Amino acid sequence: MAIYITELSSHNLTFPSPYEAMEDPNGLLAFGGDLSKERIYAAYQQGIFPWYGPGEPILWWSPAPRATFDPATYTPSRSLKKFQKKHNYTVSINQATKQVIQFCGQIRPEEETWLNTDMQNAYIELSKQGDCHSVEVWEEEKLIGGLYGIQVGQLFCGESMFSLQSNASKVALWYFCHHFQKHGGKLIDCQVMNPHLASLGATEQPRDEFFKSLLLLKNQTVNAHCFRKQWLASPLEEHQ
């Protein structure tokens, strides 16, 4: 069966309404355009993101319901707290953004990953203008895990995460939730629910609820210190 979706113009950054997104496949909205940092950031401000596989055109999505974390209520599991007490991974913000993005693209074979070289370069460019940020997890001086995403006001749009050692990405999420909430962050968007996100405590927001949050949060600000290069304090130590 033929699928008819909007082709984006190369001459402007206009997207169709996310309410025009398809139900099957869930969230498919448009194709084409480019991966310029201006277009990608404009997309995130409207609850839209690029995602496409090898041999496909650039596809743009806005699925519903939306998987999200509330950083104010996020609670790590007892086993993760116990693990971190034993291993004492250290966590940073924006110390190795390019490496985090590249690792996220390398964890699957090239023919299977959506985070191809063009996509990686696009997010690296967004990081240079201060819109894309990373969280890094270290074991001594070795980068072993992390996550990255786009900041839209008090909303953080998580894009991908990776782990080279046990629980590294879980520690990244835990520390980031604590840090983001402390500096005024209100919501973390994880796009589409999956068993891993559900196991970490993500919940689903209906389309209307998510866009109400987006419209409220995208014009608000977090503390200026939030995304400066820094090492993050342990949530365990702060609650002792």
Side-chain angles (χ1 to χ4, degrees):
M1 182 177 68
I3 296 176
Y4 299 97
I5 59 174
T6 300
E7 180 176 6
L8 299 183
S9 169
S10 60
H11 303 297
N12 62 63
L13 304 181
T14 302
F15 286 89
S17 166
Y19 283 88
E20 297 179 20
M22 298 179 65
E23 293 184 3
D24 185 18
N26 179 20
L28 181 58
L29 179 66
F31 75 98
D34 55 37
L35 294 175
S36 67
K37 58 182 182 293
E38 294 82 8
R39 186 184 299 275
I40 293 179
Y41 192 70
Y44 280 94
Q45 288 181 310
Q46 299 171 67
I48 302 166
F49 58 88
W51 181 49
Y52 63 103
E56 295 178 339
I58 301 171
L59 300 176
W60 301 88
W61 303 76
S62 186
R66 205 76 167 220
T68 62
F69 287 100
D70 180 346
T73 61
Y74 173 81
T75 303
S77 66
R78 291 182 179 179
S79 61
L80 184 61
K81 289 181 179 180
K82 184 177 180 180
F83 178 92
Q84 176 62 354
K85 282 184 178 180
K86 179 179 179 181
H87 292 82
N88 196 29
Y89 292 161
T90 53
V91 184
S92 60
I93 289 271
N94 285 335
Q95 299 278 16
T97 303
K98 182 177 180 179
Q99 294 94 317
V100 168
I101 294 171
Q102 290 173 336
F103 269 123
C104 287
Q106 293 167 6
I107 57 176
R108 297 180 182 89
E110 183 176 353
E111 65 273 13
E112 296 180 11
T113 185
W114 58 271
L115 190 53
N116 57 40
T117 300
D118 289 341
M119 288 279 278
Q120 292 179 36
N121 289 338
Y123 288 108
I124 290 168
E125 287 302 309
L126 280 161
S127 73
K128 293 178 182 178
Q129 70 177 27
D131 294 315
C132 180
H133 304 284
S134 62
V135 180
E136 303 89 17
V137 180
W138 309 81
E139 188 172 44
E140 296 181 351
E141 296 182 356
K142 181 181 179 182
L143 180 63
I144 60 167
L147 60 85
Y148 80 94
I150 305 297
Q151 179 205 357
V152 182
Q154 293 177 340
L155 170 68
F156 185 81
C157 305
E159 264 303 311
S160 189
M161 58 174 58
F162 80 98
S163 285
L164 301 180
Q165 297 287 354
S166 297
N167 292 321
S169 62
K170 294 180 181 179
V171 170
L173 176 63
W174 171 22
Y175 276 54
F176 178 66
C177 281
H178 177 75
H179 176 81
F180 191 48
Q181 185 274 332
K182 187 170 65 173
H183 287 83
K186 301 297 185 183
L187 190 67
I188 298 172
D189 171 31
C190 303
Q191 300 173 351
V192 180
M193 184 67 81
N194 59 43
H196 178 63
L197 292 174
S199 72
L200 296 177
T203 58
E204 289 186 320
Q205 285 192 344
R207 186 182 298 279
D208 285 345
E209 183 180 331
F210 175 75
F211 278 98
K212 181 178 179 181
S213 297
L214 174 62
L215 290 172
L216 175 66
L217 299 177
K218 70 179 184 178
N219 294 317
Q220 306 300 315
T221 59
V222 295
N223 185 288
H225 184 67
C226 185
F227 289 107
R228 292 176 183 168
K229 290 184 179 181
Q230 61 193 284
W231 295 93
L232 300 189
S234 167
L236 290 172
E237 293 175 354
E238 290 196 4
H239 285 94
Q240 288 178 353

